[in-house]
Amino acid sequence: MKWLSFQKSRLLLRQCARSSFLRPGKELHAVLTTSGLNKSPRSYLSNSLFQFYAASGDMATAQKLFDEIPLSEKDNVDWTTLLSSFSRYGFLLDSMKLFVEMTRKRVEIDDVSLVCLLGVCAKLEDLGFGVQGHGVVVKMGLLTSVKVCNALMDVYGKCGFVGEVKRIFEALDEKSVVSWTVVLDTVVKWEGLERGREVFDEMPERNAVAWTVMVAGYLGAGFTGEALELLAEMVFRCGHDLNFVTLCSMLSACAQSGNLVVGRWVHVYALKKAMIVEEKESYDPVMVGTALVDMYAKCGNIDSSMKVFRLMHKRNVVTWNAMFSGLAMHGKGRMLVDMFSEMVREVKPDDLTFTAVLSACSHSGMVEEGWRCFQNLRFYGLEPKVDHYACMVDLLGRAGRIEEAEILMKEMQVPPNEVVLGSLLGSCSVHGKLEIAERIKRELVQMSPGNTEYQILMSNMYAAGGRSDIVDGLRGSMRNGGIRKIPGMSSIHMNGSVHRFSSGDRSHPRMKEVYFKLNEVIERIRSAGYVPDVSGLVSPCDLEDKEQALCCHSEKLAVCFGLLETKPRTPLHVFKNLRICQDCHSAMKIVSKVYEREIIIRDRNRFHQFKEGSCSCSDYW
């Protein structure tokens, strides 16, 4: 083993870390262990091994090796390496705990470790820890460091303290492009797009992140034309390259806003970029491919999402999770379960994988498959988390097995949260389990006294049970407490703009045409068998008024506008902020048949694909 000197070993490990060569690095670790070289005093090979694993993202091994290094042989570079690796690979709380340990053991804190800590606080939106970090910055006299102040501004910006961001920014003698970009991101998020554009225009220099912030802002506000115009200016006139991080940010914004037009533009750009050999070092095909899978799924095009997924040469667990989450949203439970065996041959499933599988089983009514999946968690070395229990409670509740769901909830290792309890309450409402619902509601009111949904669900249950005295009292207390129902809002992308409608809306400039079309649609679907379902309304008004209220629901208005604006047989994509009601669900099935249209509605929980008189959810949602 003379050929393998300490210096050569450290050099090889550094090269493996820089190039993400995990397997060769592990093989070298095995050689060093069997030869005993890594135990040689003052060789610092343990430090190099630890840094290799930390850089490669194997944080469990990195932590183990770090703990084995004697305190006297650790310097602040080792501590900072572990701190930044925890942050980079998503172990944010571990990163914060390590910083506390560093201060207790009097490890030298420098600007690098502070920037890392503040980055973690920004990601977690932890203002309390961020303020403490601010105190350390002041104590160490680092308010002159632009990098530290940028990280500090990011913490306050993520937490909504716009004034504090501006105060730190104005106090900087030297303002970098990053400083301006942090201010821009803060202003767009908290003061709006118009004020954000003013900051953007004032910037002496703009980087790709600043352009991305503005494009994402326009996408979020529904200004497709402006977003595309800005993208073109960014790429073609200013010569800014979209690297994989920027591409993924753009695709994420498209996914959240449901903007398929810009999403496809970014996809074409990504394909062209992937073909340029010289740029492959700045391009991560797995990360971009995963973002595309997620974008197409969330924009309602699950077929394109699957096509991108199948064309990817390399996939990781995040890619599989994105595909599984998309299938779950679209009610493709059987397809997802069939793909699970394929996944485990390729990657190891994690907590999010099982959350997606259980969610898909829940939306598809696959109770036995869901139970098997839940019981398999420990087989893959995972412990059931609150999200897994929430999915199982939802699965059993939807299937009408309310008592089983309640028993499972009581067996949880951790107290049930609002999601678990809310899911069970919703199931009680569907299946008329008033007694259990009253127990659940008492717990929910303590957790979230101002939540309107639980109050309204209970009001509907009492109304269905003929308890009008309780309904009146409950509605009165809601009014007196200032509790108002969240209004239903639906949006539809049309001709480069987003058109938004609320229930009974009269504000749209073409509302007269929309209501004229609505009357025609209602008349045609009534002839085809549509009967308004007023059972979900607790209003004291008469039957005719209830039916009129149902006709004016936001998704019906959005679909009517789509029918006006598009050619026959063009698919319509509608996005709604709340769960679609039973009446609209029934109506959309008939509309899809009568008008020969595919209508895709993304509500708060999932996608509904209406086609030829049926829905992809098979009426199970």
Side-chain angles (χ1 to χ4, degrees):
M1 301 297 293
K2 290 181 180 178
W3 61 272
L4 197 60
S5 66
F6 297 144
Q7 186 176 0
K8 187 179 287 186
S9 299
R10 289 196 295 269
L11 178 62
L12 286 170
L13 284 167
R14 277 197 293 272
Q15 287 175 340
C16 288
R18 275 197 294 268
S19 305
S20 300
F21 291 156
L22 189 58
R23 186 174 176 180
K26 285 185 172 182
E27 289 172 352
L28 180 55
H29 184 188
V31 171
L32 293 171
T33 302
T34 53
S35 66
L37 281 176
N38 64 323
K39 297 296 183 183
S40 302
R42 294 293 175 183
S43 68
Y44 295 103
L45 283 173
S46 293
N47 304 63
S48 297
L49 280 166
F50 144 70
Q51 289 174 4
F52 157 69
Y53 281 106
S56 302
D58 187 346
M59 297 312 299
T61 307
Q63 175 80 71
K64 182 176 181 294
L65 289 167
F66 180 82
D67 292 339
E68 290 172 358
I69 301 171
L71 186 60
S72 60
E73 294 184 18
K74 293 176 189 171
D75 58 16
N76 74 319
V77 174
D78 293 320
W79 287 90
T80 305
T81 298
L82 186 58
L83 187 75
S84 60
S85 295
F86 273 144
S87 173
R88 186 183 308 115
Y89 293 107
F91 298 89
L92 304 181
L93 294 178
D94 293 290
S95 190
M96 296 173 91
K97 289 173 185 174
L98 184 67
F99 186 85
V100 172
E101 187 181 348
M102 287 171 69
T103 58
R104 285 177 183 161
K105 292 187 175 176
R106 302 188 182 280
V107 178
E108 181 187 349
I109 305 293
D110 58 13
D111 57 339
V112 177
S113 51
L114 271 170
V115 167
C116 179
L117 171 74
L118 293 169
V120 170
C121 294
K123 288 176 184 174
L124 290 172
E125 299 182 9
D126 190 327
L127 181 63
F129 215 96
V131 169
Q132 291 180 52
H134 192 170
V136 176
V137 170
V138 173
K139 188 177 179 180
M140 293 179 63
L142 288 172
L143 282 175
T144 54
S145 168
V146 178
K147 287 185 178 179
V148 171
C149 286
N150 290 345
L152 195 54
M153 286 192 294
D154 195 33
V155 176
Y156 285 115
K158 292 291 192 294
C159 296
F161 284 73
V162 183
E164 192 64 22
V165 173
K166 292 179 179 178
R167 188 188 67 77
I168 296 169
F169 178 76
E170 293 300 332
L172 278 172
D173 293 326
E174 179 189 347
K175 299 175 177 68
S176 69
V177 66
V178 177
S179 311
W180 277 96
T181 304
V182 173
V183 173
L184 173 66
D185 186 45
T186 301
V187 170
V188 168
K189 184 176 181 180
W190 300 105
E191 294 188 345
L193 201 55
E194 188 175 338
R195 175 66 187 123
R197 186 60 194 247
E198 291 173 10
V199 173
F200 182 76
D201 292 339
E202 288 173 23
M203 292 178 72
E205 179 189 358
R206 300 168 189 148
N207 58 12
V209 179
W211 285 89
T212 304
V213 168
M214 282 308 302
V215 172
Y218 280 121
L219 287 172
F223 297 111
T224 305
E226 288 83 349
L228 283 169
E229 187 179 323
L230 208 60
L231 261 175
E233 184 181 351
M234 172 188 178
V235 175
F236 303 120
R237 272 176 261 171
C238 298
H240 279 287
D241 178 43
L242 299 185
N243 61 26
F244 72 90
V245 176
T246 312
L247 282 168
C248 292
S249 297
M250 297 278 189
L251 291 168
S252 176
C254 293
Q256 295 308 313
S257 62
N259 196 317
L260 195 57
V261 174
V262 178
R264 283 177 173 148
W265 189 98
V266 176
H267 188 181
V268 171
Y269 182 94
L271 288 172
K272 290 178 179 178
K273 185 175 179 63
M275 289 188 284
I276 302 174
V277 178
E278 306 90 79
E279 294 184 349
K280 280 194 174 178
E281 288 185 5
S282 64
Y283 184 81
D284 185 338
V286 177
M287 192 171 175
V288 175
T290 302
L292 282 166
V293 167
D294 184 60
M295 182 275 293
Y296 277 117
K298 287 179 178 172
C299 288
N301 195 332
I302 193 65
D303 293 334
S304 292
S305 180
M306 180 62 78
K307 188 175 181 180
V308 171
F309 177 81
R310 289 300 182 194
L311 288 172
M312 289 176 69
H313 298 298
K314 186 180 178 184
R315 301 181 287 245
N316 59 19
V317 68
V318 182
T319 313
W320 280 93
N321 289 347
M323 189 70 254
F324 280 5
S325 296
L327 291 170
M329 280 191 295
H330 285 266
K332 308 284 187 181
R334 177 56 57 193
M335 185 185 296
L336 190 158
V337 170
D338 291 343
M339 286 175 67
F340 185 78
S341 58
E342 180 187 351
M343 177 200 183
V344 296
R345 290 194 297 269
E346 191 173 305
V347 296
K348 182 182 177 182
D350 61 12
D351 288 325
L352 293 176
T353 309
F354 280 94
T355 301
V357 176
L358 289 169
S359 175
C361 290
S362 176
H363 285 299
S364 302
M366 298 163 61
V367 179
E368 300 311 317
E369 291 86 347
W371 264 123
R372 277 198 296 273
C373 171
F374 186 74
Q375 290 159 356
N376 277 340
L377 272 162
R378 290 188 175 90
F379 176 79
Y380 292 98
L382 301 169
E383 288 296 319
K385 304 290 192 305
V386 173
D387 288 345
H388 302 134
Y389 279 107
C391 289
M392 278 306 300
V393 167
D394 188 53
L395 171 64
L396 293 169
R398 285 174 187 271
R401 293 156 70 164
I402 309 294
E403 289 77 10
E404 283 182 63
E406 189 177 23
I407 291 168
L408 180 65
M409 187 178 72
K410 289 176 180 176
E411 291 174 353
M412 289 174 60
Q413 303 298 311
V414 292
N417 61 11
E418 194 177 348
V419 177
V420 178
L421 291 165
S423 173
L424 187 55
L425 182 66
S427 298
C428 289
S429 175
V430 171
H431 296 284
K433 299 286 185 177
L434 184 57
E435 187 179 335
I436 297 175
E438 287 177 327
R439 288 202 302 269
I440 301 299
K441 184 240 180 184
R442 283 193 288 270
E443 293 184 58
L444 281 167
V445 167
Q446 291 179 343
M447 286 185 183
S448 181
N451 192 307
T452 62
E453 292 182 50
Y454 310 139
Q455 308 278 18
I456 291 165
L457 269 177
M458 290 305 300
S459 179
N460 290 347
M461 288 187 74
Y462 286 126
R467 307 284 295 278
S468 57
D469 54 331
I470 300 179
V471 173
D472 294 340
L474 190 57
R475 292 175 65 194
S477 64
M478 286 168 64
R479 279 195 301 271
N480 296 335
I483 298 173
R484 295 290 183 269
K485 182 180 179 181
I486 299 169
M489 297 286 294
S490 294
S491 58
I492 183 168
H493 290 268
M494 203 65 63
N495 304 322
S497 299
V498 174
H499 298 264
R500 294 185 175 88
F501 298 88
S502 59
S503 184
D505 193 7
R506 297 278 176 181
S507 62
H508 194 277
R510 296 184 60 190
M511 216 63 228
K512 191 173 286 187
E513 295 171 74
V514 171
Y515 274 98
F516 186 80
K517 187 68 177 179
L518 177 66
N519 290 334
E520 175 211 301
V521 168
I522 296 299
E523 187 176 333
R524 286 190 65 180
I525 63 175
R526 276 184 184 273
S527 300
Y530 165 67
V531 177
D533 183 356
V534 299
S535 61
L537 295 178
V538 295
S539 171
C541 56
D542 59 32
L543 180 62
E544 187 177 342
D545 289 338
K546 286 183 178 182
E547 290 183 357
Q548 184 60 37
L550 287 174
C551 289
C552 298
H553 275 192
S554 62
E555 54 266 65
K556 290 192 180 83
L557 298 176
V559 166
C560 287
F561 181 73
L563 291 172
L564 279 172
E565 283 292 290
T566 57
K567 294 177 182 178
R569 295 184 175 82
T570 303
L572 301 177
H573 294 257
V574 175
F575 299 84
K576 186 175 183 182
N577 64 330
L578 302 177
R579 183 179 185 270
I580 187 172
C581 74
Q582 182 69 51
D583 178 75
C584 286
H585 192 270
S586 301
M588 292 304 161
K589 287 194 292 184
I590 303 175
V591 171
S592 71
K593 185 175 183 179
V594 169
Y595 286 87
E596 298 181 10
R597 296 285 191 123
E598 181 182 5
I599 302 170
I600 299 167
I601 296 182
R602 184 176 89 177
D603 70 7
R604 187 181 60 184
N605 299 322
R606 60 169 296 159
F607 278 92
H608 296 267
Q609 184 179 13
F610 301 95
K611 193 173 182 180
E612 297 175 356
S614 62
C615 179
S616 58
C617 74
S618 302
D619 297 337
Y620 191 91
W621 87 102

